[in-house]
Amino acid sequence: MGARSPFTPPFTPPTSPSFWRSPLRGPWLTAVLGTVLLAGITLLFVTGLLSYAAYNPDLAGGVNDKTPDKGLLGFYLFSWPTGPHWLYRLTQGLHVTLGITLVPVVLAKLWSVIPKLFTLPPARSVGHALERISLLLLVGGVLFEFVTGLLNIQLEYLFPGSFYPLHFYGAWVFIGAFVVHVVLRLPRAVRALRERRDPQAAADDTGLVAARPDRPTVTRRGALGLVGAGALVLFATSAGQSIGGWWRRTALLAPHGGRDPGSGPNGFQINKTAAAMGIRARDTGDDWRLTIEGGGRRVRLSRADLLTLPQHDAALPIACVEGWSTDDQQWGGVRLRDLAGLVGLAAQPPGVLVESLQLHGAFRRAALRDNQVRDPRSLLALRVGGAELSEDHGYPARIIVPAAPGVLNTKWVSRLTFGEW
């Protein structure tokens, strides 16, 4: 074993203040990034709760509830409305687009405070220990929520278990740590923003300023500009999936951006194809029948029978939890409330349980509230854009309801059960 070369610098562990050399770190930069995240993450959390409410998970039987045993965490749930018809398109598009846009800000904020994660001793007091625990939950929570959310947007389910409960419970753990962190750090952040001084010229009690800073290659404002530019690029390459129209071509990071399945009336996005869901040609052929039950009565109708009933049109989008949505499509079919009338429930149509021909997958069965059934725009759709539905868009019949998440617009419908489930 030879002696260490005099030219080899001694190893400095990350627990040493001298390990962190960036001259950019300091209270002001961290406070600016934290202020952006305070507003952004609050909006993300609110729109996430709205997305969960839109599924109507508290309906009897818990058909739509993919987060069982939520207990008090579902205290805020309310009956999701059907208007305006673009409501879910707006709230979920905002949730996903904002989440993607904030990625550079989150990474920059974590970079700005990373020395704090290596500070020794781990805890100087009970209060300091609680603060460090909340910090670990905060960092772990934000990484978990953003990673699972981004994977869901790209339809890459690499994590164990279902996305719904993982993202839901993870959000509540994260927001708890987030609130604690804001309460503890907000006064200091406000002070840093007001003083606007170079932290190296001021007495630093945050542990963020480098003890032996390197020479700067960019100013703090320049660093913020780079973070903002990164966020703007992500916004520009993802927002089009929710905005629609010409802007859809710019959604390069969206899993469906600019890749409509063909042309014509059925040439708009899909998540689940007939082949992927095991729908066979004989399942949707001439022998297909729609079973309608409710009020102690049962009716079975062929597609030809449905076409003899009063037909109505509705211009509605499809909006998905992954953030993409279609423009308003012109749907044609039979009103759900008219189908309820076939089993004697015309006066006050109740909610309905919708069942699909698909044999597996989430939301093979989905429940709709009575206000959704009664809305005159809620249809058992047989056509779109004046043409028959394609197999991938739910032929021979599918549900279309205003302001509902895409998964509640059930395709390949086989049974409707009104009020008894």
Side-chain angles (χ1 to χ4, degrees), residues 17-273:
S18 60
F19 177 86
W20 307 99
R21 305 290 302 278
S22 174
L24 299 183
R25 289 192 181 93
W28 182 81
L29 180 66
T30 298
V32 171
L33 294 170
T35 301
V36 173
L37 289 178
L38 175 60
I41 286 178
T42 300
L43 186 54
L44 277 181
F45 185 65
V46 171
T47 52
L49 293 183
L50 290 176
S51 178
Y52 182 59
Y55 283 78
N56 288 322
D58 58 338
L59 286 177
V63 177
N64 298 349
D65 191 1
K66 303 304 177 184
T67 55
D69 304 321
K70 60 186 176 295
L72 294 177
L73 298 183
F75 71 93
Y76 73 95
L77 293 174
F78 58 95
S79 299
W80 188 252
T82 58
H85 71 277
W86 40 259
L87 179 61
Y88 189 75
R89 184 182 184 189
L90 172 65
T91 60
Q92 192 61 16
L94 181 61
H95 181 77
V96 171
T97 302
L98 180 60
I100 295 173
T101 303
L102 285 179
V103 167
V105 186
V106 169
L107 294 178
K109 178 64 160 62
L110 293 178
W111 173 86
S112 75
V113 299
I114 196 171
K116 300 289 288 183
L117 299 179
F118 294 90
T119 301
L120 293 178
R124 297 188 297 269
S125 64
V126 173
H128 185 242
L130 292 176
E131 181 182 346
R132 295 298 295 275
I133 292 172
S134 71
L135 184 61
L136 289 175
L137 290 175
L138 181 72
V139 173
V142 74
L143 291 176
F144 179 83
E145 286 299 288
F146 273 77
V147 168
T148 54
L150 291 172
L151 287 174
N152 180 64
I153 292 167
Q154 297 299 330
L155 308 178
E156 295 289 349
Y157 301 108
L158 305 179
F159 40 81
S162 170
F163 166 76
Y164 296 98
L166 288 174
H167 204 66
F168 177 79
Y169 293 123
W172 280 106
V173 171
F174 165 68
I175 206 66
F178 183 72
V179 169
V180 170
H181 184 75
V182 169
V183 170
L184 293 174
R185 293 295 179 181
L186 187 59
R188 180 173 291 175
V190 171
R191 187 169 67 250
L193 291 173
R194 283 179 176 174
E195 291 178 351
R196 294 186 179 180
R197 292 184 295 172
D198 185 340
Q200 289 181 251
D204 175 48
D205 61 349
T206 64
L208 298 176
V209 179
R212 295 189 303 113
D214 285 329
R215 292 184 62 182
T217 57
V218 65
T219 65
R220 292 186 181 90
R221 294 185 185 278
L224 286 176
L226 291 174
V227 173
L232 184 61
V233 167
L234 290 179
F235 174 82
T237 53
S238 59
Q241 66 172 341
S242 300
I243 297 174
W246 180 89
W247 294 99
R248 198 174 303 280
R249 303 175 188 175
T250 67
L252 304 178
L253 296 184
H256 304 275
R259 298 200 301 270
D260 292 348
S263 59
N266 283 276
F268 55 94
Q269 291 95 322
I270 57 173
N271 258 9
K272 299 185 291 188
T273 65

Side-chain angles (χ1 to χ4, degrees), residues 353-357 364-366 410 412-417:
L353 175 65
V354 184
E355 298 180 66
S356 172
L357 290 170
R364 183 182 65 82
R365 302 165 72 240
T410 309
W412 313 294
V413 175
S414 63
R415 181 181 297 270
L416 300 174
T417 305

